[in-house]
Amino acid sequence: MEISKRMSAKTELNIAVKKFDEMIESQERIRDYIPSESEDKHLLHKRIFANDKNHFAKPSTRLYFIKKLFQYLTETTFEKALHFDLANKIAMVGEYCITLMYLDNHHQDEKYGVADEPSREANRLERMETEVDMFHYINTEFSGETQDKVLQTVYKLFKLYHKGMELDKEMLTYNHLIQNKPLTHQIDPEVDAYVDVEEFIQVLQMVNPHKLQKIVQQHYLRLYLTRAFLINTVFFQVFAELLIDIFGTREKKYKKLITYARMFGMAQQLVNDNCDYLPVNYQFSTLCKLPEDTFSDLRRGLVTLPIILFFQSPNTHKGKIFELYTDQSVQSSIRSAEDQQGLLNVLIENGSLGQGMSFVCALATYGEQQVQDEMGMFKEMFSFVRNNRYYKQYVNIKRELVQ
């Protein structure tokens, strides 16, 4: 048994190393496609050159995702060579899009140093210039029907993303969580149909019904999943649809690939929400998140997955975390490492953070099932759901708490 475990761990490590090497290769390749005039656009350039100098964050997951879909959809070596440049240009558009999404998020959440009017103005200017560059790139590098398809994808992405940002700002509150009846709020019938939040609920019910049944406020869970889709999952779905439209030849597989893209994007956003509770003194950062950005959801009064699970116990509707959601004067004060550590300890001891971590595995399990017959081509993409540096640190902290 012990030998089997060691072999399994070694296999997982080899897969992770192989994936990271492929991601680095993709990242290096895409540098040939970044226009020279974009080099002074700080965030875009920093993301494209992620493994240079002190940029220690992993390369772009979105870029790698687009590459993997392209590899799958083009069946022969000849097709891959024929469309290689086009696929990389589409990936470059994806990098433009996610950079704009990050800039919007930094502005709304007051993260990444965007905290006063001069920094907000600099953020707005960088966003405007990056968007101008993106449309110039699309108009220069694509033509005809392909250009139309790329533009339609970009317009659709940002229409949905900005609706998600509005929802994020207005609806994910404690007051909406404790309502005893479903919310009457509807974003837009067309948008609601595209999001199809019931598919995610059904997956959770099928893979992990016990975790789902623990959540009394199912109406709020649906609202939360809608927001998670619109601010992140949408990227993976619209680009999967674009790649299928341009390169697709195996029609029977389309539905599974779209479902895979949806589960992957949703899992990524929920993991991101789970990782928002590591105190500033650990100095964990990414290319688009600074250590001091931690606890940003809680400071803004948002109720995300770990907090939804936290408030399922009656005795949790009091105490420090309750006060943070009912007293605005307390919210913005969560800056010291000591206060943050205390709040994290509560979430760990309560079990809600661990439940949130395992909750997401249901989506990953179902997503993996969609592509299990494709020789593991996509399976390793879900490794972040079960193994990332934030989760490892949470496990270490939990181990210290029980000693």
Side-chain angles (χ1 to χ4, degrees):
M1 177 68 87
E2 197 61 38
I3 294 175
S4 176
K5 283 184 179 179
R6 285 202 299 270
M7 288 178 64
S8 176
K10 185 177 180 180
T11 300
E12 287 184 7
L13 178 61
N14 289 338
I15 289 174
V17 170
K18 180 176 181 292
K19 183 182 78 167
F20 190 82
D21 288 344
E22 286 185 357
M23 292 176 78
I24 289 289
E25 181 185 345
S26 300
Q27 195 89 344
E28 290 172 347
R29 176 67 63 182
I30 205 66
R31 292 171 188 169
D32 296 335
Y33 293 84
I34 183 171
S36 58
E37 63 265 25
S38 296
E39 291 186 5
D40 61 344
K41 305 305 182 292
H42 304 296
L43 189 59
L44 176 65
H45 193 257
K46 183 178 180 181
R47 294 186 67 255
I48 297 297
F49 292 85
N51 62 324
D52 281 2
K53 299 178 182 178
N54 296 320
H55 297 159
F56 52 83
K58 68 179 182 182
S60 172
T61 302
R62 281 98 179 163
L63 174 64
Y64 188 61
F65 173 85
I66 290 172
K67 173 191 172 181
K68 297 291 270 188
L69 249 63
F70 168 70
Q71 288 178 336
Y72 171 73
L73 289 166
T74 49
E75 295 181 310
T76 67
T77 303
F78 174 76
E79 286 178 308
K80 287 176 172 56
L82 182 65
H83 300 299
F84 181 77
D85 280 341
L86 177 57
N88 279 303
K89 289 174 182 178
I90 291 172
M92 189 64 230
V93 174
E95 290 302 293
Y96 271 116
C97 287
I98 191 58
T99 300
L100 290 170
M101 292 164 74
Y102 275 126
L103 289 168
D104 284 341
N105 177 257
H106 293 162
H107 189 275
Q108 179 158 301
D109 291 6
E110 296 186 351
K111 295 191 299 191
Y112 209 67
V114 182
D116 53 23
E117 190 49 40
S119 59
R120 283 190 286 271
E121 180 58 30
N123 172 278
R124 286 191 289 265
L125 179 62
E126 182 177 351
R127 193 203 184 283
M128 180 186 70
E129 291 176 341
T130 303
E131 184 176 58
V132 168
D133 282 355
M134 178 182 70
F135 284 114
H136 176 73
Y137 184 83
I138 294 171
N139 291 327
T140 302
E141 300 295 334
F142 301 90
S143 61
E145 187 179 2
T146 301
Q147 184 186 90
D148 291 340
K149 289 177 179 179
V150 172
L151 285 170
Q152 288 167 11
T153 295
V154 171
Y155 293 143
K156 183 175 185 177
L157 170 63
F158 282 101
K159 174 186 175 183
L160 294 168
Y161 175 71
H162 287 136
K163 285 184 179 293
M165 293 292 277
E166 291 171 9
L167 185 66
D168 181 274
K169 192 174 183 179
E170 298 171 5
M171 300 297 292
L172 292 185
T173 65
Y174 177 78
N175 287 337
H176 283 130
L177 173 75
I178 61 173
Q179 286 184 2
N180 292 322
K181 59 182 180 180
L183 297 171
T184 57
H185 176 80
Q186 187 179 53
I187 302 172
D188 177 282
E190 183 182 352
V191 173
D192 289 336
Y194 187 73
V195 172
D196 190 15
V197 73
E198 293 306 317
E199 180 184 33
F200 298 107
I201 296 291
Q202 289 167 11
V203 168
L204 295 170
Q205 181 67 45
M206 178 172 50
V207 179
N208 204 337
H210 178 64
K211 291 285 190 302
L212 184 64
Q213 289 163 3
K214 277 189 171 183
I215 299 178
V216 177
Q217 299 93 352
Q218 293 287 318
H219 66 282
Y220 186 87
L221 178 63
R222 285 171 168 80
L223 180 70
Y224 168 70
L225 292 174
T226 299
R227 168 261 194 184
F229 180 96
L230 291 171
I231 67 170
N232 188 69
T233 308
V234 62
F235 177 97
F236 297 95
Q237 181 160 342
V238 298
F239 272 92
E241 290 169 344
L242 174 63
L243 290 163
I244 287 171
D245 194 15
I246 294 175
F247 303 115
T249 58
R250 292 185 272 187
E251 190 172 344
K252 290 182 180 179
K253 300 294 184 182
Y254 293 173
K255 189 176 186 302
K256 283 190 172 185
L257 283 177
I258 293 299
T259 301
Y260 167 80
R262 286 166 59 80
M263 297 303 143
F264 179 77
M266 181 61 75
Q268 188 185 69
Q269 180 56 46
L270 300 194
V271 167
N272 184 63
D273 288 349
N274 288 337
C275 291
D276 195 43
Y277 300 96
L278 197 64
V280 63
N281 58 300
Y282 287 89
Q283 289 296 294
F284 273 32
S285 64
T286 70
L287 286 168
C288 297
K289 182 179 178 181
L290 302 175
E292 55 266 33
D293 294 335
T294 189
F295 282 79
S296 62
D297 289 340
L298 209 157
R299 279 202 299 272
R300 293 177 58 225
L302 299 185
V303 179
T304 57
L305 182 60
I307 305 299
I308 295 173
L309 294 163
F310 175 79
F311 280 127
Q312 298 315 301
S313 303
N315 62 353
T316 54
H317 292 265
K318 59 184 179 181
K320 182 68 172 179
I321 291 180
F322 172 74
E323 290 175 4
L324 289 168
Y325 283 96
T326 54
D327 185 347
Q328 290 187 346
S329 66
V330 181
Q331 288 174 4
S332 60
S333 67
I334 317 168
R335 299 286 180 182
S336 76
E338 184 179 359
D339 286 345
Q340 292 173 357
Q341 188 67 58
L343 294 170
L344 173 60
N345 291 350
V346 169
L347 292 174
I348 289 176
E349 291 173 331
N350 170 270
S352 52
L353 193 55
Q355 288 175 34
M357 291 159 64
S358 62
F359 197 95
V360 186
C361 290
L363 300 173
T365 298
Y366 189 75
E368 288 170 339
Q369 290 171 356
Q370 305 306 304
V371 292
Q372 64 181 353
D373 58 339
E374 305 304 335
M375 297 181 295
M377 190 171 195
F378 298 102
K379 187 173 181 180
E380 80 277 9
M381 291 285 284
F382 277 102
S383 60
F384 69 92
V385 169
R386 304 177 182 92
N387 184 23
N388 63 68
R389 61 196 180 116
Y390 286 84
Y391 280 16
K392 286 179 181 177
Q393 195 61 58
Y394 288 158
V395 170
N396 290 337
I397 293 170
K398 181 178 180 180
R399 192 175 293 124
E400 292 173 3
L401 287 173
V402 297
Q403 285 180 350

